[in-house]
Amino acid sequence: MQPVQQSLDFLAELAAGGPVRLLAEAFAAAGHELALVGGPVRDAFLGRAITDLDFTTDATPDEILAIVTPISQAQWDVGRAFGTIAARIDGETVEITTYRSDSYDHTTRKPAVEFGDTLEGDLLRRDFTVNAMALRVPELKLVDPSGGMDDLIAGVLRTPGTPEVSFGDDPLRMLRAIRFTAQLGFTVAVDAAVAISEMRESISIISVERINDELSKLLKTDAPRRGVELLVESGLAELIIPEIPALQLESDEHHHHKDVYQHSLTVLEQAIDLERSRDTSPSPDLVLRLAALLHDIGKPATKRNEPGGQVSFHHHDVVGAKLARKRLRALRFDNDTIAAVSRLIELHLRFFGYTDGAWTDSAVRRYVRDAGDQLERLHILTRADVTTRNRRKADQLAFAYDDLEDRIATLAAQEEIDSVRPDLDGEQIMRILGIAPGREVGQARAFLLELRLDEGPLPPEEATERLLAWWAARS
């Protein structure tokens, strides 16, 4: 956290120009209050970049719209039912919300919205004290009715009122608390942590879409591990994504295996480090992080105690991919994300056969073909999956994967491996074999593709000769 006076100076500078000044002047001229609120104020004191400009006011949504329209380039009222109007002002998007108080009736999935009449009342209904501070503009007065500054200095997440009332008003706040531990590096106050555990069942009234949003935000933080751990410790994970706590496999005195749960968290951390260092994937990469966290969720269902004290998890990659598809569908992730994550989980063990013996060029081509557009993520996930403390073994695996990537690059340069296709297209196949469109054309293409993967590109004459030989043998 940076010095308070420095933060106040920064907020004053922010309020002196751009959209903040224009809004402050417009609302004052209309006889209404306006305050910068929540995240922007908190982040200013933490020295974090301010990415959103959120305001609150005593004006109604209709009055807000009337005030901002003359000074904005665009307006959106999709949040009108919740008292929020968004606008594009001086090149930045802002949101202005009427003082309000929302709560759930403990049976429905949507909050009931009631508008308030004071800034202090609006702040006291917010989720945590560090988010319940506001800067009145244009007068630049800091309003902190619940001691948010003290909690900000202490790095503590505390609710403005009792946590039972706060989480009862909106159970999603339990997930927000967990996300903020990862995002801000804060700890949850003891009474709030106890309330989360005791009230976790109430998360069932929250829509899946809102839960998805919070879970995604958690995984996209710089260091999500502690948040995931709190998700499990509180019991919320059992209700939202039970495959994660299920990774805490039991072992007996005769059969030993590494801690799959802790291993998965380490893989997540290592994948994030590689994601940043390789700088070839979008960051934060939600698909990669989901795959890293879920890559071993097939192990509980496939665990077998073998003779000699060994433990096996045969086919946990295939089982895990199916479980991931099912869970991510239930959490309403989009189809592209589901397909990518499940594919990565299905393929995450493929490389480990590379160290058992030299792969042929054909095997390398198949690895690339099967990975498709997930190849770079598969590179990262496979490297991150090495968590052994045996330095020699870790180095051997790293050197082997370096070799595999070098071979992929070489083959790509030679053969444009990223777009491997049969050496003859459908029209050529039909002309050579004298057949009409149909299943046989597809079978011929499949044969030529396998030939291409096995032997690399062939001259048209040789490809034709091999196709005719295949056709004759087939007939």
Side-chain angles (χ1 to χ4, degrees):
M1 180 169 170
Q2 64 183 14
V4 173
Q5 188 56 53
Q6 182 179 341
S7 300
L8 289 171
D9 291 342
F10 171 77
L11 286 169
E13 183 179 347
L14 180 67
V20 181
R21 178 183 60 81
L22 291 172
L23 281 169
E25 292 174 351
F27 275 80
H32 286 289
E33 300 175 358
L34 185 70
L36 188 66
V37 68
V41 179
R42 177 201 69 213
D43 289 343
F45 286 104
L46 290 175
R48 295 166 57 93
I50 295 177
T51 56
D52 300 305
L53 290 176
D54 298 325
F55 298 85
T56 188
T57 178
D58 62 338
T60 66
D62 286 341
E63 290 170 333
I64 295 171
L65 196 57
I67 294 170
V68 301
T69 296
I71 61 171
S72 60
Q73 295 79 54
Q75 310 84 37
W76 302 273
D77 63 352
V78 291
R80 181 191 290 266
F82 297 95
T84 300
I85 300 296
R88 188 76 174 167
I89 300 176
D90 200 25
E92 293 193 48
T93 299
V94 302
E95 288 190 356
I96 309 103
T97 302
T98 306
Y99 298 153
R100 70 186 189 193
S101 172
D102 17 300
S103 63
Y104 286 78
D105 61 11
H106 307 287
T107 57
T108 62
R109 292 177 181 267
K110 294 184 179 180
V113 177
E114 297 179 2
F115 296 138
D117 52 14
T118 68
L119 174 58
E120 289 76 7
D122 177 270
L123 294 175
L124 289 172
R125 65 95 193 166
R126 292 178 178 260
D127 53 4
F128 304 106
T129 60
V130 297
N131 295 331
M133 297 184 291
L135 182 73
R136 287 188 183 274
V137 290
E139 54 264 56
L140 301 181
K141 178 183 178 183
L142 183 66
V143 181
D144 179 16
S146 58
M149 185 61 68
D150 291 337
D151 290 336
L152 203 63
I153 294 171
V156 174
L157 288 171
R158 184 170 58 84
T159 56
T162 64
E164 290 79 10
V165 171
S166 182
F167 299 152
D169 284 345
D170 185 355
L172 188 71
R173 290 173 176 174
M174 297 186 290
L175 280 181
R176 285 172 60 83
I178 289 169
R179 191 243 300 178
F180 281 131
T181 63
Q183 181 177 326
L184 304 177
F186 285 13
T187 58
V188 179
V190 174
D191 60 341
V194 170
I196 290 173
S197 293
E198 292 178 346
M199 301 177 66
R200 61 185 182 276
E201 296 286 346
S202 64
I203 200 69
S204 63
I205 72 169
I206 300 298
S207 70
V208 175
E209 289 79 6
R210 294 185 75 203
I211 291 173
N212 176 314
D213 184 56
E214 278 301 322
L215 182 61
S216 298
K217 286 179 179 177
L218 165 60
L219 290 177
K220 289 162 74 173
T221 60
D222 290 341
R225 178 171 185 149
R226 184 54 188 150
V228 176
E229 289 174 335
L230 283 176
L231 199 64
V232 172
E233 292 166 9
S234 67
L236 277 169
E238 188 67 42
L239 304 170
I240 295 169
I241 187 164
E243 293 79 7
I244 301 305
L247 292 172
Q248 297 173 309
L249 302 178
E250 295 181 3
S251 60
D252 58 43
E253 59 181 310
H254 302 295
H255 295 85
H256 304 283
H257 56 83
K258 65 184 176 183
D259 188 321
V260 182
Y261 170 64
Q262 291 299 326
H263 163 75
S264 298
L265 295 178
T266 301
V267 172
L268 173 61
E269 289 181 313
Q270 294 185 168
I272 292 172
D273 289 341
L274 287 167
E275 169 193 312
R276 297 189 185 112
S277 66
R278 291 173 72 100
D279 196 30
T280 53
S281 300
S283 185
D285 188 339
L286 181 60
V287 167
L288 174 65
R289 297 179 184 202
L290 282 167
L293 182 62
L294 301 177
H295 77 284
D296 273 348
I297 60 172
K299 282 190 171 181
T302 58
K303 180 186 174 186
R304 298 292 182 271
N305 293 327
E306 305 289 355
Q310 298 302 309
V311 177
S312 68
F313 305 97
H314 296 306
H315 307 301
H316 77 269
D317 46 348
V318 177
V319 173
K322 292 179 180 178
L323 290 174
R325 279 193 292 271
K326 182 177 180 181
R327 177 55 53 196
L328 295 178
R329 284 195 195 103
L331 288 170
R332 307 280 174 84
F333 280 93
D334 63 272
N335 290 335
D336 289 343
T337 296
I338 294 170
V341 171
S342 60
R343 190 61 169 158
L344 287 167
I345 294 173
E346 184 179 355
L347 294 175
H348 83 274
L349 290 182
R350 180 77 65 87
F351 158 75
F352 292 97
Y354 189 83
T355 58
D356 297 335
W359 278 7
T360 62
D361 285 351
S362 174
V364 175
R365 292 187 191 99
R366 282 184 171 81
Y367 186 79
V368 174
R369 180 194 64 180
D370 292 347
D373 60 1
Q374 298 305 311
L375 181 61
E376 177 59 28
R377 285 181 173 130
L378 184 58
H379 288 334
I380 294 175
L381 178 60
T382 303
R383 289 180 179 273
D385 197 21
V386 178
T387 62
T388 178
R389 295 181 181 179
N390 185 322
R391 191 69 260 165
R392 182 180 177 184
K393 183 179 180 181
D395 287 344
Q396 287 176 336
L397 289 168
F399 293 150
Y401 208 87
D402 288 343
D403 182 65
L404 175 59
E405 287 204 64
D406 287 343
R407 289 183 65 188
I408 290 172
T410 300
L411 285 172
Q414 293 173 348
E415 306 172 11
E416 298 181 354
I417 197 171
D418 291 335
S419 57
V420 171
R421 294 182 177 86
D423 292 299
L424 301 173
D425 62 26
E427 290 186 3
Q428 290 171 310
I429 291 170
M430 288 187 288
R431 185 177 68 251
I432 292 168
L433 299 182
I435 59 176
R439 185 174 60 181
E440 291 172 326
V441 177
Q443 293 170 341
R445 279 181 55 84
F447 163 74
L448 289 170
L449 179 57
E450 287 298 313
L451 195 63
R452 173 70 183 270
L453 290 168
D454 285 335
E455 301 182 24
L458 298 175
E461 299 80 8
E462 185 174 350
T464 299
E465 183 179 337
R466 300 286 287 273
L467 175 63
L468 288 169
W470 169 82
W471 183 252
R474 180 178 179 278
S475 300

